[in-house]
Amino acid sequence: MGKTYIIGFPRIGEKRELKFALEDFWSGKISFDEFDMVAKKLKQKHWNYQKNANIEHISSNDFSFYDNMLDTTFMLGAIPDRFKHLNSKEQYFSMARGDKDSPAMEMTKWFNTNYHYIVPELSENIEFKLDATKIINEYNEAKEIGVKTKVNIIGLLTYLGLSKCDNSNYYDLVDKLLPIYEELLKLLSKLDDDIIVQFDEPILVCGANDILLANLKKVYDRLGMVSPKVKIAVVTYFEHINDSITTLCDTPIWAIGLDFVHGKDNLQALDIIEKSGKYLIAGVVNGRNIWKNNIDDSLELLGIIGKTIKKDKILVSTSCSLLHSPYTTANEIKMDTEIKNWLSFAIEKLDEVALIAKIFFDGFDSLNYDGLKYYNKTKDILIKKSASSLLNDIYIKNRIASLDKFQRDGKYEDRIILQRKALKYDNLATTTIGSFPQTPELRAKRLQFKKGEISKSVYEDYIKSYIDECIKIQEDIGLDVLVHGEPERNDMVEFFAERLDGYGFSSNGWVQSYGSRCVKPPFIYGDVSRKDTLGYEWIVYAQSKTKKLVKGMLSGPVTMINWSFVREDVSKSQIATQIALALSDEVDDLQKHGIKIIQVDEAAFKEGYPLRFEKRAGYEKWAVDSFKLSVSSSLKETQIHTHMCYSEFNDIIKTIEAMDADVISIETARSGNRLLKVFKEVGYKQEVGPGIYDIHSPRVPSVEEMKNQIIALLEVLPRKQLWINPDCGLKTRKYDEVIPSLKNMVQAVKEIRGH
Ligand code: GLN
Ligand code: ZN
């Protein structure tokens, strides 16, 4: 029995080969068969990487053309009616991306990661039907090159738990899906003398109730009995599963996968696992961060586990699928070598798992020359790292230690009077969320600048001309509060990260976000401070071009942290404090240069919530405190806005209120004012800008439609509390959609105001 286990491997390719092949296929540049050939080669390459790294438990079916949840939907035959008329290849990509006749299926984030899955649409009426073609083919493809894989499948409870269902109790669907899963296992049992099937059940980390536990027992009792040739591993990750471990151990499965990196409390479950005699897949190498593993720490952790669980029942693993990790540090030729030495991406993590397992099971003496060299080198790097001057900024540390102002002055009730007097905006003031379209020309200019093809001054002149135009457009439309349009930024994090000390960047650290889309998050390795301005000059420039108010834009600490890889040697709360201080200096600069409205976006505030309920309060404390610290330098007269890209505030409304922003803009366009009622119910005092049209669609909403939307809003909140804006930034839209939409929005407000 092998001792090394990888939950799953990334599939987009070291050079994003899958992305480019997908896009070529979609645009008709290559045929499906050509595309499939690229996919096949990638799979082989990934199996070989793992095999050569001495990984014994390698997955098949962790590959996907688009998304594994979508693959599961296919496997179950849960095709929504609107795609039924298409053939299966067309169906697959239309379900993911939509087509001219049907909107795509919804997409949302996979637990607390930045990977998005396609949300299944289920109903009582679906006739589920097994299609195991992909799974079987992939198993055989690996076998052909001499790799006997375990088969990864999304567990039934996780699949259901993440689905949208028109039936109120989706657990009723367990009885419908279970026979399909059983049939699948029967088929898989015929593929080989024995076979391991990994069911991913991360839903268990969100906490269990009686219904979930009853279903957990039922599902794995039945699946465990399908065939003696099938061994079932139920793997979980991102948190602990203490409340479901007893039930899981009481089913005839072979192994349980636990994350000991993000779910240290899993250590409390070891006794139960030991008694059940099950194998333990021990996730000790972090699968979703980029830092070199501290081998001694992992060995110590395994030592603790080994005190309860017999060594021959332990498999050494990554904490979760390496899907969330970039490929390899080998291609980071431009990176500072000291920092590069601290990193470990997916391919390097394979070696870590193998080395840790070797030492744990066979002792240091068993290491060959290379193994020992690797161990010693890693140890040396980490010792040097802990003493590195790059991690510490004494100035920032002292500044934080002597902080005496943690929030701005004045109560909201008093501030808003001063602000309305100074800013003189009308009720139902119109504005936008910040960005204007990132045109192909703008993107091309940025690329040219990054490559050194145009000079800084040529680039900056171009940005200025964009801002000039953007201001003029907004004045012509007649918006009340203008923005500079964010042309200098490619996204909400990188632009700021580049201007902060303590942040690092990779050239190839791509991670799949959804389908062919990848992100390359920056990483925080050291104390963060503002080395340069955060770009307030652009906003001040925009203000110089108009008599109207220009709102300045910044990204908040939670968003900066959530969309970056973060260091693990200090708490997130400390990192957030450092970012907040940098932001508060920028707020101060904006204000000194005449900017009177400043928006600090916290797009990631809600997704930053911990998966386990008991950890929420701790998160809320630092998330709110760091927001307040970011704007602590603002004068009472300066109006602070924030923006959040969602609308489900029911359970967090008091926390949102505690952030103490004067105005919050949110996304309600797609959910109507049903979700807004909570603001009224709790007596929310601050001003609110509920997005009145959906920017995610190219459609131009009519004046009438937006008037109706505003009338509906007025039933919930009084006129003096309302702002009118789209529901998110406009950067992904085209000007010829944005201009008419905003004109209609302003016209709708005019008609409602009656002037
Ligand atoms: N100010 C940002 C923009 O308009 C906000 C983006 C976001 O909320 N995701 O693009
Ligand atoms: Zn948004």
Side-chain angles (χ1 to χ4, degrees):
M1 180 53 64
K3 294 166 178 173
T4 45
Y5 194 104
I6 298 294
I7 305 264
F9 198 75
R11 54 208 177 220
I12 204 79
E14 194 175 319
K15 303 202 168 74
R16 289 180 291 157
E17 293 90 331
L18 182 63
K19 169 198 173 68
F20 299 117
L22 265 172
E23 289 169 359
D24 283 350
F25 166 60
W26 289 334
S27 69
K29 275 193 206 137
I30 59 172
S31 67
F32 181 79
D33 288 344
E34 285 169 302
F35 160 67
D36 196 35
M37 194 43 90
V38 175
K40 281 212 172 74
K41 288 220 174 94
L42 271 180
K43 280 181 260 184
Q44 289 179 2
K45 203 164 152 187
H46 298 162
W47 287 318
N48 281 326
Y49 278 148
Q50 296 176 79
K51 192 175 151 191
N52 295 339
N54 289 325
I55 301 300
E56 291 140 311
H57 291 289
I58 300 174
S59 324
S60 58
N61 204 40
D62 55 349
F63 191 84
S64 178
F65 286 158
Y66 202 97
D67 164 47
N68 291 114
M69 279 291 278
L70 180 61
D71 296 340
T72 315
T73 295
F74 246 76
M75 171 191 103
L76 297 167
I79 315 293
D81 285 341
R82 65 183 183 284
F83 302 105
K84 284 236 169 84
H85 64 283
L86 301 167
N87 72 39
S88 69
K89 261 173 236 142
E90 285 170 352
Q91 250 171 8
Y92 186 86
F93 290 116
S94 298
M95 282 157 74
R97 309 173 67 224
D99 60 26
K100 61 180 191 330
D101 305 315
S102 320
M105 292 169 78
E106 202 181 297
M107 189 167 69
T108 196
K109 291 201 178 192
W110 177 249
F111 296 87
N112 54 2
T113 72
N114 282 326
Y115 174 78
H116 299 72
Y117 68 90
I118 303 282
V119 184
E121 295 172 19
L122 303 182
S123 80
E124 277 293 322
N125 312 324
I126 295 184
E127 300 253 340
F128 297 102
K129 189 170 173 300
L130 179 66
D131 179 351
T133 326
K134 170 181 187 282
I135 299 171
I136 292 173
N137 287 351
E138 222 171 288
Y139 184 83
N140 287 331
E141 276 173 54
K143 206 171 158 184
E144 272 164 32
I145 61 158
V147 181
K148 182 168 156 63
T149 53
K150 62 176 166 91
V151 179
N152 288 13
I153 318 266
I154 306 245
L156 196 160
L157 296 170
T158 298
Y159 180 77
L160 273 184
L162 299 183
S163 66
K164 279 200 293 196
C165 185
D166 67 3
N167 182 302
S168 56
N169 181 8
Y170 54 62
Y171 286 118
D172 290 348
L173 285 166
V174 170
D175 292 330
K176 288 203 156 189
L177 290 184
L178 195 44
I180 313 275
Y181 272 74
E182 286 175 314
E183 202 186 327
L184 171 71
L185 290 192
K186 262 184 226 140
L187 272 183
L188 295 180
S189 74
K190 297 195 185 111
L191 291 179
D192 241 313
D193 299 340
D194 57 28
I195 188 162
I196 294 175
V197 178
Q198 168 184 309
F199 285 112
D200 286 41
E201 289 288 19
I203 199 87
L204 299 179
V205 307
C206 300
N209 57 25
D210 290 348
I211 304 173
L212 179 75
L213 291 180
N215 281 296
L216 181 64
K217 172 100 180 101
K218 175 154 98 185
V219 167
Y220 289 100
D221 270 349
R222 296 241 314 250
L223 294 181
M225 297 307 286
V226 170
S227 163
K229 286 162 72 185
V230 177
K231 285 194 200 147
I232 295 178
V234 172
V235 302
T236 60
Y237 31 83
F238 307 146
E239 257 297 353
H240 72 80
I241 60 158
N242 283 352
D243 34 16
S244 45
I245 198 80
T246 308
T247 309
L248 200 52
C249 282
D250 191 24
T251 64
I253 61 171
W254 164 71
I256 296 176
L258 299 180
D259 178 343
F260 291 98
V261 177
H262 303 99
K264 282 265 155 48
D265 288 352
N266 274 326
L267 288 171
Q268 292 161 20
L270 296 178
D271 272 334
I272 306 166
I273 298 178
E274 204 282 320
K275 283 200 195 85
S276 73
K278 302 209 183 305
Y279 278 75
L280 173 67
I281 298 159
V284 295
V285 171
N286 196 340
R288 52 181 298 190
N289 211 341
I290 52 163
W291 308 109
K292 218 176 211 105
N293 182 275
N294 183 322
I295 295 170
D296 289 337
D297 285 356
S298 294
L299 286 169
E300 193 186 325
L301 187 55
L302 283 168
I304 296 170
I305 296 169
K307 280 202 182 115
T308 311
I309 311 270
K310 287 190 201 71
K311 266 193 175 178
D312 61 1
K313 289 267 164 93
I314 298 175
L315 295 121
V316 176
S317 169
T318 48
S319 67
C320 61
S321 169
L322 295 174
L323 174 69
H324 310 293
S325 174
Y327 267 77
T328 175
T329 59
N331 301 328
E332 297 303 327
I333 20 192
K334 282 197 259 160
M335 198 183 286
D336 174 286
T337 41
E338 182 179 2
I339 294 177
K340 181 178 161 181
N341 270 336
W342 300 344
L343 305 180
S344 163
F345 296 172
I347 290 178
E348 291 76 35
K349 286 176 198 287
L350 299 176
D351 290 337
E352 291 177 348
V353 168
L355 182 69
I356 291 165
K358 183 84 183 134
I359 302 174
F360 178 62
F361 292 113
D362 305 331
F364 277 101
D365 294 345
S366 73
L367 292 187
N368 60 17
Y369 176 77
D370 284 344
L372 203 58
K373 196 168 136 196
Y374 181 8
Y375 171 80
N376 284 330
K377 192 175 163 208
T378 306
K379 199 167 169 151
D380 190 46
I381 287 171
L382 294 183
I383 290 172
K384 286 205 183 106
K385 178 183 175 189
S386 61
S388 169
S389 60
L390 290 173
L391 300 189
N392 294 300
D393 183 333
I394 296 300
Y395 170 74
I396 284 298
K397 286 207 164 66
N398 288 342
R399 198 174 154 196
I400 290 177
S402 56
L403 257 185
D404 56 4
K405 190 163 168 35
F406 300 92
Q407 60 187 58
R408 60 196 300 212
D409 296 329
K411 286 206 324 230
Y412 168 74
E413 289 83 343
D414 303 330
R415 291 192 315 251
I416 194 71
I417 295 170
L418 296 176
Q419 290 165 15
R420 292 203 70 143
K421 217 164 120 194
L423 306 175
K424 297 188 184 69
Y425 58 87
D426 211 342
N427 290 337
L428 304 178
T430 53
T431 190
T432 60
I433 305 303
S435 57
F436 267 70
Q438 294 260 327
T439 56
E441 195 188 4
L442 172 59
R443 288 180 199 279
K445 281 275 186 297
R446 188 181 300 126
L447 197 66
Q448 283 173 334
F449 174 53
K450 285 213 161 157
K451 284 187 175 162
E453 290 167 11
I454 54 172
S455 69
K456 193 168 177 211
S457 73
V458 170
Y459 176 65
E460 292 190 347
D461 282 348
Y462 178 78
I463 297 289
K464 280 185 188 158
S465 67
Y466 181 104
I467 293 175
D468 294 347
E469 181 71 19
C470 189
I471 291 290
K472 189 175 171 311
I473 289 171
Q474 295 174 80
E475 283 187 333
D476 289 349
I477 292 170
L479 287 154
D480 296 317
V481 172
L482 315 191
V483 294
H484 76 299
E486 305 182 16
E488 77 286 16
R489 308 179 190 174
N490 44 352
D491 70 26
M492 290 181 71
V493 174
E494 192 174 88
F495 175 81
F496 296 114
E498 280 169 353
R499 282 155 186 78
L500 291 165
D501 267 336
Y503 259 100
F505 305 87
S506 68
S507 330
N508 287 294
W510 295 100
V511 180
Q512 191 174 15
S513 171
Y514 62 89
S516 68
R517 279 289 288 269
C518 299
V519 290
K520 190 158 64 62
F523 53 94
I524 301 172
Y525 60 82
D527 289 340
V528 176
S529 66
R530 194 177 73 141
K531 62 177 167 195
D532 198 349
T533 77
L534 301 182
Y536 71 80
E537 299 87 339
W538 296 119
I539 295 151
V540 173
Y541 173 79
Q543 184 65 83
S544 75
K545 294 283 164 171
T546 178
K547 291 200 169 57
K548 289 201 159 178
L549 292 162
V550 172
K551 171 168 74 163
M553 299 290 155
L554 295 166
S555 295
V558 170
T559 304
M560 291 296 293
I561 284 180
N562 235 34
W563 295 349
S564 307
F565 288 114
V566 290
R567 64 194 289 198
E568 287 164 346
D569 55 339
V570 303
S571 66
K572 280 193 183 169
S573 132
Q574 276 172 278
I575 303 172
T577 304
Q578 296 175 353
I579 297 176
L581 268 188
L583 291 171
S584 74
D585 290 348
E586 185 77 4
V587 165
D588 198 32
D589 274 336
L590 279 163
Q591 210 170 230
K592 280 187 185 137
H593 290 86
I595 303 301
K596 298 188 163 49
I597 303 184
I598 300 166
Q599 178 172 307
V600 179
D601 291 324
E602 276 297 27
F605 192 88
K606 192 158 179 192
E607 67 184 53
Y609 266 75
L611 295 168
R612 299 215 53 114
F613 190 79
E614 63 274 15
K615 295 193 175 161
R616 290 171 64 124
Y619 166 75
E620 286 175 335
K621 170 101 180 76
W622 71 256
V624 171
D625 283 354
S626 61
F627 183 87
K628 287 164 79 173
L629 182 60
S630 313
V631 298
S632 58
S633 54
S634 60
L635 301 169
K636 289 185 206 162
E637 294 78 7
T638 302
Q639 187 166 67
I640 298 296
H641 289 217
T642 187
H643 165 71
M644 297 188 184
C645 306
Y646 33 82
S647 47
E648 276 285 2
F649 288 101
N650 285 4
D651 52 342
I652 59 167
I653 189 78
K654 281 286 158 198
T655 310
I656 301 296
E657 192 170 49
M659 290 168 78
D660 199 28
D662 302 309
V663 183
I664 179 172
S665 61
I666 56 172
E667 183 230 274
T668 32
R670 280 177 292 182
S671 38
N673 66 356
R674 176 176 58 86
L675 294 165
L676 203 64
K677 292 208 167 95
V678 63
F679 285 85
K680 183 180 186 175
E681 278 157 23
V682 301
Y684 189 87
K685 298 185 293 281
Q686 291 101 314
E687 299 187 356
V688 188
I692 69 155
Y693 82 86
D694 175 14
I695 63 93
H696 305 85
S697 149
R699 213 171 62 86
V700 175
S702 67
V703 176
E704 225 27 56
E705 208 179 315
M706 292 206 256
K707 265 172 79 179
N708 289 337
Q709 189 83 346
I710 299 170
I711 291 167
L713 292 179
L714 286 169
E715 284 168 18
V716 184
L717 289 173
R719 206 171 263 248
K720 67 171 188 346
Q721 210 178 342
L722 279 174
W723 284 67
I724 302 298
N725 44 258
D727 71 352
C728 196
L730 302 166
K731 63 171 160 262
T732 56
R733 295 267 64 92
K734 298 196 171 75
Y735 269 106
D736 56 13
E737 298 151 5
V738 162
I739 295 172
S741 298
L742 291 177
K743 272 190 180 150
N744 288 354
M745 183 180 95
V746 168
Q747 182 60 27
V749 170
K750 265 194 193 144
E751 290 179 21
I752 300 241
R753 279 180 186 154
H755 60 86

